[in-house]
């Protein structure tokens, strides 16, 4: 157990819908990262937050947005869902910035039908 | 943009043999190079990392080497065991004008008993 929690574990929804994925980082970690992993694919970096502020952006679609709250938990919002958005979404956290070990959560499996 | 290449994409070795995975990166400012292991259906976990001020680091059967001039680094696993079978991701991170870690596409390692 890495100490990072993600909810829900599984999510099944329809095209065009909107969903919210939630992540709680390890106690004391200030950075939160979001990744998308499609079937048999690598880890695609989406976005990073540090102590409530956006720090870095990857290949995140405009239909996706995220935020980090004062208690440091983070939410990833996915809207106008398409079939291709079906993937495993990982959240990770680190003590400071990206030059430190990232601890990954168990992931949220999103299926868009 | 920033890029991390990783080879080979798949690797099969006999139990007891060594395995080597190689990565190259494009951003010369990169200074932190972690390796993550992802077993089937599980979250990625850090197995070893190296910073730019050292050329090699070992942890039991695992070692990583870094050549900053050539901008490549490698993972070496000796005396492989079936439980080493997993997908391995290399990554590179820097703290210049941006702050994010770029992952390689992954290497699927199979250790044949």
């Amino acid at each position: 157990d890495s100490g990072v929690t993600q909810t829900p574990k599984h999510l099944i929804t329809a095209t065009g819908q909107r969903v919210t994925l939630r992540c709680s980082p390890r106690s004391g970690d200030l950075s939160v990262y979001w990744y998308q992993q499609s079937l048999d694919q690598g880890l695609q970096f989406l976005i990073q937050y540090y102590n409530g502020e956006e720090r870095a952006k990857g290949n995140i679609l405009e239909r996706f947005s995220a935020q980090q709250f004062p208690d440091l938990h983070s939410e990833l919002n996915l809207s106008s869902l398409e079939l291709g958005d079906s993937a495993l979404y990982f959240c990770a956290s680190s003590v400071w910035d990206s030059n430190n070990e990232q601890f990954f959560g168990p992931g949220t499996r999103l299926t868009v039908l | 943009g920033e890029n991390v290449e990783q080879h080979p994409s798949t690797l099969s070795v006999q139990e007891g043999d060594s395995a080597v995975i190689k990565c190259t990166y494009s951003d010369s400012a990169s200074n932190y190079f972690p390796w993550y292991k992802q077993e089937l259906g599980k979250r990625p976990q850090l197995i070893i990392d190296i910073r730019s001020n050292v050329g090699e680091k070992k942890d039991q059967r695992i070692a990583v080497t870094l050549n900053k001039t050539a901008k490549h680094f490698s993972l070496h696993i000796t005396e492989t065991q079936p439980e080493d079978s997993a997908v391995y991701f290399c990554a590179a991170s820097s703290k210049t004008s941006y702050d994010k870690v770029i992952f390689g596409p992954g290497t699927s390692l199979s250790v044949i008993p």
Side-chain angles (χ1 to χ4, degrees):
Chain A
D1 185 0
S2 66
V4 179
T5 60
Q6 288 186 249
T7 56
K9 192 166 185 172
H10 300 280
L11 198 50
I12 301 175
T13 188
T15 55
Q17 294 299 303
R18 173 190 170 94
V19 297
T20 297
L21 313 183
R22 182 188 169 102
C23 168
S24 291
R26 290 189 325 154
S27 177
D29 284 0
L30 296 178
S31 279
V32 168
Y33 312 79
W34 286 98
Y35 295 90
Q36 180 191 57
Q37 187 173 45
S38 301
L39 192 62
D40 293 332
Q41 295 295 310
L43 292 162
Q44 299 299 316
F45 169 71
L46 296 178
I47 198 164
Q48 178 199 355
Y49 282 84
Y50 176 81
N51 203 22
E53 295 189 3
E54 182 184 304
R55 175 65 71 95
K57 256 185 175 179
N59 298 322
I60 188 167
L61 300 172
E62 285 192 12
R63 301 183 285 108
F64 296 1
S65 65
Q67 54 184 326
Q68 187 179 29
F69 295 87
D71 66 353
L72 301 178
H73 90 272
S74 178
E75 293 181 355
L76 178 67
N77 301 297
L78 314 176
S79 61
S80 303
L81 286 168
E82 303 175 358
L83 296 178
D85 298 327
S86 295
L88 189 55
Y89 290 84
F90 283 108
C91 164
S93 72
S94 67
V95 174
W96 297 109
D97 51 38
S98 61
N99 274 22
N100 294 274
E101 176 179 2
Q102 292 187 25
F103 295 86
F104 284 78
T108 292
R109 170 74 65 186
L110 173 66
T111 302
V112 182
L113 301 176
Chain B
E2 312 86 26
N3 186 48
V4 174
E5 296 184 356
Q6 184 171 347
H7 300 279
S9 57
T10 59
L11 179 60
S12 289
V13 300
Q14 291 290 330
E15 182 178 357
D17 288 348
S18 296
V20 180
I21 302 170
K22 298 182 179 182
C23 290
T24 59
Y25 59 97
S26 59
D27 184 3
S28 56
S30 296
N31 56 3
Y32 175 61
F33 307 91
W35 286 87
Y36 288 84
K37 174 184 180 182
Q38 186 178 23
E39 296 177 6
L40 190 62
K42 296 191 176 181
R43 71 191 81 187
Q45 288 187 288
L46 182 80
I47 56 171
I48 195 167
D49 56 10
I50 190 169
R51 297 189 186 273
S52 58
N53 56 344
V54 298
E56 183 175 2
K57 184 176 179 180
K58 288 185 73 173
D59 182 4
Q60 299 182 343
R61 296 186 297 108
I62 294 173
V64 56
T65 59
L66 171 64
N67 183 327
K68 286 216 71 178
T69 303
K71 290 192 286 187
H72 68 70
F73 56 114
S74 300
L75 178 71
H76 304 253
I77 305 175
T78 59
E79 301 172 20
T80 54
Q81 300 168 4
E83 51 265 39
D84 294 330
S85 297
V87 177
Y88 291 81
F89 293 99
C90 64
S93 170
S94 75
K95 284 193 63 180
T96 52
S97 58
Y98 64 95
D99 177 19
K100 61 184 178 182
V101 58
I102 307 297
F103 281 83
T107 295
S108 179
L109 173 64
S110 297
V111 180
I112 305 165

